[in-house]
Amino acid sequence: MKQKQYITPHFIRVILTGDDLDLFADAVVGVNNKIFIPPSGVKDVHFPASNDQANQPLEKDRAIIRTYTHRGIDLEKKELTIDFVNHGETGPASSWALNASIGDPLGVAMKIGKTELYPPADWYLLVGDATAIPVLSAIMESLPSHAKGIAIIEVHGKEDEQALFTKADIAVRWLHNPHPEKGSELANAVKQVPISKKEESTCFGYIAAEFSSVKDIRQYLRKDKLWTKEELYAYSYWKAGVAEDQSVIDRRKEKESI
């Protein structure tokens, strides 16, 4: 780690550096990647050996894998930026970010290729909790000036609202929820947005939040508002009370259910 700073009380920005950062030259900002967190007491990152069971790292050394979105990459400075939601010591990623010092290692693996985060549209619905701010920020920063829409983002409190840049006409609405693991108002907020599809215009929704919220919003847009699969990307980044590696199957099934 090269640098760490608190963007807000519950948002930690970590800047990483490495000589092989050029390998990520074609990675798209906002696309999910994997981070590899050394277990407590382990100084180095021990990556799993792909398709080689004989040379896997020892269980005590094996890195903890979590899914994150890199916030930015600067190849000239050899800097990779990842933002972490600070929810205390309750998860390995948050705990690492809280306790990390300059020089501490973190492993990163990325998808390479020019993946599109969203299709061209006239109107956008961007919805997410604090975990989705990096990808929603990347989308907003890249939207053309003629695009319109609304962004609904849930954070811990007023102090965690961030200044988000966009050339587009995007109204940003912040929801405050100090205990997102106990429930969310994101779905109710979406249902209050006047959504009326017109034949001469196109729309697209990007939804990223907790499992229950994403499921509710997806069902509302697909069944009540008759949005097509092509008009909506909705994926749960986490499931309350369940670790990421234990909830991945449920989250994938829900995404494919409608």
Side-chain angles (χ1 to χ4, degrees):
M1 183 182 73
K2 181 178 180 180
Q3 183 180 339
K4 181 174 77 173
Q5 63 181 124
Y6 281 79
I7 301 300
T8 74
H10 293 90
F11 226 68
I12 303 172
R13 175 160 293 170
V14 169
I15 298 178
L16 307 171
T17 189
D19 292 334
D20 53 359
L21 199 62
D22 289 343
L23 294 173
F24 301 145
D26 291 329
V28 175
V29 175
V31 172
N32 287 346
N33 59 69
K34 299 295 183 182
I35 61 172
F36 298 79
I37 307 161
S40 178
V42 178
K43 294 183 178 181
D44 299 319
V45 177
H46 295 270
F47 290 94
S50 179
N51 299 321
D52 187 356
Q53 295 300 320
N55 292 309
Q56 294 293 342
L58 297 175
E59 182 67 29
K60 67 179 183 64
D61 296 329
R62 191 171 301 168
I64 302 165
I65 304 173
R66 289 295 183 263
T67 303
Y68 265 74
T69 300
H70 73 288
R71 185 64 184 85
I73 185 168
D74 188 323
L75 296 177
E76 291 187 2
K77 294 182 178 180
K78 293 189 178 298
E79 293 181 346
L80 173 68
T81 301
I82 300 178
D83 290 346
F84 293 78
V85 178
N86 172 17
H87 46 80
E89 304 279 356
T90 58
S94 174
S95 179
W96 182 88
L98 277 169
N99 297 299
S101 300
I102 304 302
D104 284 355
L106 184 72
V108 179
M110 287 190 185
K111 296 178 181 178
I112 303 301
K114 297 302 181 182
T115 303
E116 291 186 353
L117 291 175
Y118 59 89
D122 301 310
W123 190 83
Y124 291 89
L125 174 65
L126 309 175
V127 182
D129 56 23
T131 64
I133 290 179
V135 66
L136 297 185
S137 297
I139 291 173
M140 291 175 64
E141 289 170 1
S142 63
L143 285 174
S145 58
H146 60 78
K148 298 181 179 181
I150 183 171
I152 304 174
I153 306 173
E154 185 179 78
V155 292
H156 185 274
K158 177 70 175 179
E159 70 278 8
D160 286 307
E161 295 181 10
Q162 299 185 31
L164 305 178
F165 170 78
T166 183
K167 296 178 291 185
D169 183 10
I170 302 293
V172 180
R173 179 184 175 190
W174 295 94
L175 302 181
H176 300 155
N177 182 6
H179 301 289
E181 73 282 357
K182 297 181 179 180
S184 169
E185 288 298 315
L186 276 173
N188 289 334
V190 169
K191 293 173 184 178
Q192 295 172 15
V193 176
I195 299 175
S196 57
K197 294 173 61 177
K198 300 178 181 179
E199 292 184 1
E200 68 274 12
S201 63
T202 56
C203 59
F204 182 76
Y206 195 105
I207 318 298
E210 195 275 331
F211 181 88
S212 299
S213 295
V214 172
K215 182 177 180 179
D216 197 353
I217 295 169
R218 182 200 303 280
Q219 290 180 336
Y220 170 71
L221 293 175
R222 291 295 312 282
K223 293 185 175 180
D224 293 8
K225 292 302 179 179
L226 302 179
W227 282 31
T228 67
K229 285 187 176 182
E230 291 70 29
E231 292 172 324
L232 179 64
Y233 174 89
Y235 187 67
S236 55
Y237 279 6
W238 60 288
K239 187 175 183 180
V242 185
E244 178 185 326
D245 51 350
Q246 297 173 337
S247 67
V248 64
I249 295 177
D250 289 342
R251 292 183 288 116
R252 286 176 179 171
K253 284 183 178 179
E254 192 284 322
K255 180 183 177 182
E256 299 167 356
S257 63
I258 299 180

